[in-house]
Amino acid sequence: MTSASYIFLAGASRGVGREIAQYLTAQQLKVKALLRTAAVASELEKIGIEVVLGDALNVGDVERAMLTDEPIHTVISTIGGLPSEGERADYPGNRNLIDAAVKAGVQKFILVSSIGAGNSVVALSPQVLAALGTVLVEKDKAEQHLIASGLTYTIIRPGGLKLEPATGNGVLTEDPHIIGSINRADVAQLVGRSLNSDRANNKILSAIDRNMQFGQREFAEFTLQ
């Protein structure tokens, strides 16, 4: 990254996105965050993040935020709505971000998806699939749109997310059968380390904590360096 370029983060208001925001600023990286409401804007600005208000579901908002004179090195998206929020952003919001990233000449797009999307559906039990199936279809559509966009991408699919401090035991694998849990802060570390990893380019990776795997299946860890 050059000093003139920055990371564009969508989904920074909560969850994994919030952890990524904190991780990136701790690394002294320039970050611009797209927020739908101003509720947490001041908290993000306190840690040095530039906030742009806008809704990822609105193409105009996204393009206004991204198509500026400042070059974007990487877009990171963790967006996805809650079931109670009406239209979920998982596919349409990410589609708008991906399309704008193409126009902006972004060098890389990191999409935080979920185990169970795409070919990792094989990792889920029938009960989990029944509960999350409609959400995972939307996440898969976002993944496919990113792959087809021509952008250099990394897709990271975390398992079940926990709100605990980072353990440092987060691991990535290309094995779609792997399932387990992982702390949000560890996902943030894996995303941050993927930023400058050429090995992660155009890869789809599942993310779990090596000590929170469900079952005993052996798998090959994917190294970022």
Side-chain angles (χ1 to χ4, degrees), residues 111-122:
L111 176 64
V112 178
S113 182
S114 176
I115 287 179
N119 65 346
S120 65
V121 68
V122 296

Side-chain angles (χ1 to χ4, degrees), residues 1 6-10 12 16-33 47-49 74-77 110 188-196:
M1 277 184 64
Y6 65 93
I7 296 163
F8 188 93
L9 178 58
V16 172
R18 188 66 171 272
E19 295 285 351
I20 291 171
Q22 292 170 335
Y23 180 88
L24 296 176
T25 52
Q27 305 294 314
Q28 308 295 313
L29 295 169
K30 278 175 62 178
V31 183
K32 183 185 287 187
I47 61 172
I49 290 176
T74 302
V75 174
I76 300 173
S77 175
I110 300 176
Q189 288 187 8
L190 293 171
V191 169
R193 287 169 48 212
S194 298
L195 271 174
N196 296 311

Side-chain angles (χ1 to χ4, degrees), residues 31-202:
V31 183
K32 183 185 287 187
L34 179 70
L35 292 183
R36 192 169 48 188
T37 70
V40 297
S42 61
E43 296 171 38
L44 292 174
E45 287 168 344
K46 276 180 193 167
I47 61 172
I49 290 176
E50 181 184 344
V51 170
V52 183
L53 292 179
D55 189 339
L57 292 170
N58 184 309
V59 174
D61 285 0
V62 173
E63 292 193 345
R64 187 177 69 252
M66 292 175 65
L67 302 180
T68 68
D69 292 338
E70 292 182 291
I72 303 172
H73 182 276
T74 302
V75 174
I76 300 173
S77 175
T78 68
I79 63 171
L82 298 171
S84 60
E85 292 178 338
E87 185 180 11
R88 294 181 56 93
D90 295 271
Y91 173 55
N94 279 312
R95 180 188 62 211
N96 291 341
L97 290 165
I98 292 161
D99 292 348
V102 172
K103 289 184 181 180
V106 167
Q107 294 187 36
K108 192 167 186 172
F109 196 113
I110 300 176
L111 176 64
V112 178
S113 182
S114 176
I115 287 179
N119 65 346
S120 65
V121 68
V122 296
L124 300 187
S125 68
Q127 294 90 339
V128 174
L129 186 57
L132 299 179
T134 54
V135 174
L136 295 172
V137 167
E138 293 294 295
K139 289 186 180 296
D140 180 54
K141 284 161 65 176
E143 291 185 6
Q144 294 305 315
H145 193 75
L146 177 56
I147 292 165
S149 71
L151 291 165
T152 298
Y153 65 86
T154 302
I155 295 169
I156 294 179
R157 297 168 171 166
L161 294 167
K162 295 190 170 188
L163 185 57
E164 301 286 341
T167 66
N169 293 317
V171 293
L172 298 169
T173 181
E174 292 185 87
D175 187 337
H177 296 86
I178 294 305
I179 182 77
S181 297
I182 185 168
N183 295 343
R184 292 183 175 102
D186 286 299
V187 178
Q189 288 187 8
L190 293 171
V191 169
R193 287 169 48 212
S194 298
L195 271 174
N196 296 311
S197 170
D198 290 339
R199 289 205 75 229
N201 288 350
N202 303 325

